[in-house]
Amino acid sequence: MKLTADLVAASPSYINAIKEYELDLSNNHITQLENLGSTRNLYDALNICTNTVRILGNFPSLPRLLSIYASDNRIASIDRAIATSIPNVRTLVLTGNDLRELSDLEPLREFAHLEYLSVAGNPVASVTYARLWCVWRFASLKVLDFERVTEKERKEALELFEVEGELSALALDILAVQKTNTFVPGEGLDEPVDVDKQQNIAELKARIRSEMAQIEAMDEYI
């Protein structure tokens, strides 16, 4: 389904559990992000869970946007210039997508305020050193895959990926890996709807919001 201005206008919006004004575009069979200028920069959060989006990108200027919930899509790549359009994103939930290499995550480095990131359920999450790489590469992170980043992890990551202020051989090897995912226009668009996945979306959204609310509450006491 095309993401049209009419669909944006007809979709529900509400104050979510962490007091963000959220636009809910989940579960609409959206294949690509487009026409988001019709949101008029009114929302703090964008929920595109359980669609078939393959590329996270094509955002207009949306400086108000703080959170993107994009679980259970087919995201295999991220627009290299994504932070130019949505510079203030601090929460990015990419659980259950198709990101494969650590180098696929490089565009996220441009998010100066990124604090909460989830890549659990992606092939990249199983790559050796994935968690430590994200801790090191995205210095502003507080929580990764719903687990708080520790100072011990920061120190370990620094020792692993830097040598006397320069990138270590391991870091250079990781950055040298090219993307393995290739977007094929039209691929999979006629696949049947996964009913079980649709039934689980409410539970997934509730878990994400509950955990984010707990994290926000923890921050108030730190």
Side-chain angles (χ1 to χ4, degrees):
M1 176 182 291
K2 287 182 66 65
L3 176 51
T4 63
D6 287 341
L7 178 58
V8 168
S11 295
S13 59
Y14 41 78
I15 303 298
N16 65 21
I18 54 176
K19 301 180 181 179
E20 298 171 321
Y21 188 32
E22 178 176 326
L23 175 64
D24 190 348
L25 294 170
S26 65
N27 212 18
N28 278 304
H29 312 296
I30 296 166
T31 58
Q32 65 181 26
L33 299 180
E34 55 188 334
N35 295 312
L36 287 173
S38 62
T39 65
R40 296 180 294 168
N41 193 36
L42 293 176
Y43 301 97
D44 306 303
L46 178 65
N47 184 343
I48 55 169
C49 293
T50 314
N51 285 292
T52 55
V53 174
R54 297 167 185 262
I55 301 174
L56 188 65
N58 198 31
F59 288 92
S61 178
L62 298 173
R64 180 173 171 174
L65 190 63
L66 301 176
S67 301
I68 299 175
Y69 305 105
S71 298
D72 291 332
N73 277 271
R74 300 176 185 173
I75 296 170
S77 64
I78 301 170
D79 181 359
R80 287 181 293 180
I82 188 172
T84 302
S85 301
I86 48 175
N88 296 313
V89 167
R90 64 171 187 164
T91 299
L92 182 55
V93 180
L94 295 171
T95 309
N97 280 285
D98 197 31
L99 294 162
R100 296 180 175 273
E101 303 292 346
L102 293 173
S103 55
D104 294 338
L105 304 178
E106 278 300 288
L108 304 185
R109 286 197 72 210
E110 303 305 317
F111 285 124
H113 310 290
L114 186 63
E115 297 180 347
Y116 309 104
L117 173 66
S118 175
V119 292
N122 286 260
V124 70
S126 299
V127 173
T128 305
Y129 303 122
R131 182 173 176 85
L132 289 178
W133 176 265
C134 290
V135 168
W136 173 69
R137 206 64 175 156
F138 315 129
S140 58
L141 277 186
K142 292 182 178 180
V143 177
L144 176 61
D145 294 339
F146 304 107
E147 294 184 13
R148 184 168 290 278
V149 174
T150 67
E151 287 305 314
K152 180 181 178 181
E153 286 177 316
R154 294 189 193 281
K155 182 179 179 180
E156 185 178 352
L158 185 63
E159 293 174 348
L160 192 61
F161 299 118
E162 289 189 30
V163 178
E164 298 181 350
E166 301 291 336
L167 297 182
S168 68
L170 176 59
L172 290 171
D173 286 344
I174 290 172
L175 290 172
V177 175
Q178 299 298 311
K179 281 174 53 62
T180 57
N181 293 287
T182 303
F183 171 60
V184 179
E187 180 184 359
L189 298 185
D190 296 325
E191 293 178 5
V193 174
D194 188 333
V195 176
D196 290 336
K197 198 171 190 180
Q198 288 186 335
Q199 292 174 340
N200 289 334
I201 183 57
E203 180 180 345
L204 173 64
K205 287 165 63 177
R207 180 175 68 85
I208 289 172
R209 288 173 178 152
S210 174
E211 290 173 337
M212 292 302 300
Q214 291 176 32
I215 290 166
E216 289 285 331
M218 288 170 61
D219 284 342
E220 294 179 2
Y221 295 95
I222 295 177

